Amino acid sequence: MPSRVDSQLVEALLRGERRALARALSLVESSAEEDRDAATELLEALHPHRVEARRIGITGSPGVGKSTLIEAWGTKMAEAGHKLAVLAVDPSSRKSGGSILGDKTRMPKLSNHANVVVRPSPSRTALGGATTSMRESIVVCEAAGFDTIIVETVGVGQSESEVADMVDLFVLLVLPNAGDEVQGIKRGIMEMADVVLVTKTDVDNQRAQLAVATYKSALRLMLPSQPEWESPVVGVSAYDGSGLDVFVKTIDAYFATERQPLVAQRRALQRRMWFDSAVREHVVSSVLSAPDVRERLTTHQSRNRR
Ligand code: GDP
C-alpha cells in the first residue's frame, strides 16, 4: 500500500515551519474518518524524530488567572530561549459551540513571540476525542522541536485527571481566599497537583500568604501526588511578577537530572494507560459500529422511548 504521508509536510515540520505545524495539528485534531489514517501515518513518521519535551498541565477554575499566568511566565521562558507550545483542552466547548481557552487574544504577547505557538482548543469534540488528539498534538509539537509543552484545561470534572495523565507536572491554580476556597476544591484534584499556585498575591499579600499556609497544611493531610515529591505551594502574581522565579525553580527542581528516572517511570505508566484506553476505545467503537449491533441498539432505543 503506498504511503499517504506527505513527506514534504514531515520535512517542513521537522524544520519547525509554522504552516506545516498548523497543518499537522489540524490533521490530528480532525475527527473526519479520512483524516484518521493520514494522521496515524504522520505520527508514525514523526515518532523517531521527537525529543521529549517538558509537559506541564495547568488547571484551575475559570477566572483564577490561568491565561494571565501563562502569558507572564511563558514570555519569561520564551525570552530565556525555550520553545513553547500552549495547547488547550476545553470539554465545555462542545456545549458552547466555541472555545475560549488558548484563545490567542487571551495571550497576545505570548502568541506573537517567535518561540511560541498557542493553539486554541479544537471545538465540538467529545472529551475522549479531545484528549486523544491532545496526546497526538504533543507528539507533533515535540517533533517540531518545542521543548516545553503547556496543556491548559478548564477545571471541569473528568478533564483534570485526563490531563494529569498526559503531563509530567500538573499545576493547580487557586485563588488567594483560602478559607472558603480550600473547602470548595475537591480533594481528588488537590491530590493530583504536583504544584499548587496561589494566584493574584498582589491584591492582598497578607491574605495570600495565609492561603499559602492553609493549602500547605491541607496537602500534608493528603496522599502525595507521586512518590518522592512533596507538592510545593507557591504564591504568584502575574501582574507584578512575584513568585514567578520560584515557580520556574520549582519546575527545574522537578525535572532535575536525579529525578529523571522518576519522570521516566511516570511516562511509562502513562503510556501503558494510554495504550489500554486506546484499545478499549477501539473495541467499543468497532462493536458499536457493527451493523447488527447498531440495528439492535436502534430497536432497543425506540422500544424504550415508547
Ligand atoms: P482564567 O480564566 O483562569 O484564564 O483567568 P484569567 O487569566 O483570564 O484572569 C481572570 C481575571 O483575573 C482577569 O481579569 C485578570 O486580569 C485577573 N488576573 C489574572 N492574574 C492576576 C494577578 O496576578 N493579579 C491580579 N490583580 N489580577 C489578575
Side-chain angles (χ1 to χ4, degrees):
M1 194 175 74
S3 170
R4 269 164 296 190
V5 183
D6 178 346
S7 59
Q8 275 181 339
L9 174 63
V10 173
E11 279 161 30
L13 185 81
L14 294 177
R15 281 195 302 270
E17 283 179 23
R18 283 311 170 98
R19 279 177 53 192
L21 177 66
R23 261 187 65 201
L25 288 174
S26 302
L27 192 63
V28 298
E29 284 165 4
S30 167
S31 50
E33 196 59 43
E34 64 273 21
D35 288 337
R36 290 314 308 157
D37 288 346
T40 305
E41 287 183 23
L42 172 72
L43 291 164
E44 274 168 16
L46 294 179
H47 235 275
H49 300 283
R50 63 199 268 246
V51 177
E52 290 189 330
R54 290 178 170 191
R55 304 169 187 168
I56 302 171
I58 301 280
T59 195
S61 40
V64 72
K66 293 181 295 297
S67 56
T68 318
L69 176 93
I70 296 172
E71 167 96 340
W73 157 60
T75 306
K76 234 172 134 71
M77 302 267 287
E79 276 163 8
H82 285 285
K83 281 193 76 185
L84 215 75
V86 182
L87 310 171
V89 186
D90 180 5
S92 62
S93 67
R94 196 154 51 117
K95 287 189 206 108
S96 62
S99 167
I100 50 155
L101 278 176
D103 188 336
K104 290 182 184 185
T105 56
R106 289 166 74 229
M107 303 167 198
K109 205 165 151 202
L110 193 61
S111 48
N112 282 320
H113 199 288
N115 286 357
V116 181
V117 64
V118 176
R119 186 79 180 174
S121 164
S123 54
R124 294 176 197 281
T125 42
L127 176 56
T131 48
T132 303
S133 83
M134 177 61 65
R135 288 177 194 278
E136 296 174 351
S137 299
I138 292 175
V139 173
V140 169
C141 291
E142 287 179 343
F146 290 92
D147 60 56
T148 307
I149 295 172
I150 298 171
V151 181
E152 183 193 4
T153 177
V154 73
V156 182
Q158 207 187 352
S159 64
E160 287 115 343
S161 60
E162 297 202 359
V163 170
D165 286 343
M166 69 173 91
V167 295
D168 304 315
L169 180 77
F170 191 61
V171 183
L172 171 69
L173 271 59
V174 293
L175 286 169
N177 32 344
D180 318 325
E181 260 291 294
V182 82
Q183 305 294 334
I185 292 180
K186 287 193 210 88
R187 190 188 177 99
I189 296 162
M190 287 276 286
E191 283 179 345
M192 271 188 265
D194 302 308
V195 179
V196 174
L197 293 184
V198 173
T199 59
K200 311 187 192 183
T201 54
D202 58 284
V203 177
D204 180 346
N205 193 256
Q206 221 177 351
R207 200 163 171 216
Q209 291 319 315
L210 187 67
V212 169
T214 308
Y215 278 103
K216 273 186 184 162
S217 45
L219 277 173
R220 257 180 240 124
L221 302 174
M222 295 183 187
L223 290 171
S225 64
Q226 49 185 309
E228 294 176 52
W229 178 256
E230 203 175 305
S231 301
V233 182
V234 181
V236 290
S237 163
Y239 276 16
D240 66 19
S242 61
L244 291 185
D245 283 339
V246 182
F247 180 41
V248 170
K249 281 197 188 118
T250 304
I251 296 171
D252 288 342
Y254 184 86
F255 288 99
T257 318
E258 64 273 18
R259 291 202 79 262
Q260 281 307 317
L262 289 164
V263 176
Q265 212 176 342
R266 178 167 173 161
R267 287 189 170 194
L269 189 70
Q270 290 175 339
R271 268 195 301 274
R272 271 204 300 279
M273 280 167 32
W274 185 13
F275 181 75
D276 287 351
S277 72
V279 169
R280 211 167 302 131
E281 227 172 77
H282 185 74
V283 170
V284 170
S285 79
S286 23
V287 169
L288 290 180
S289 60
D292 56 331
V293 175
R294 263 211 310 240
E295 204 181 296
R296 265 190 264 170
L297 268 178
T298 318
T299 320
H300 188 67
Q301 278 163 350
S302 59
R303 240 188 247 145
N304 272 352
R305 253 182 245 122
R306 266 185 236 144

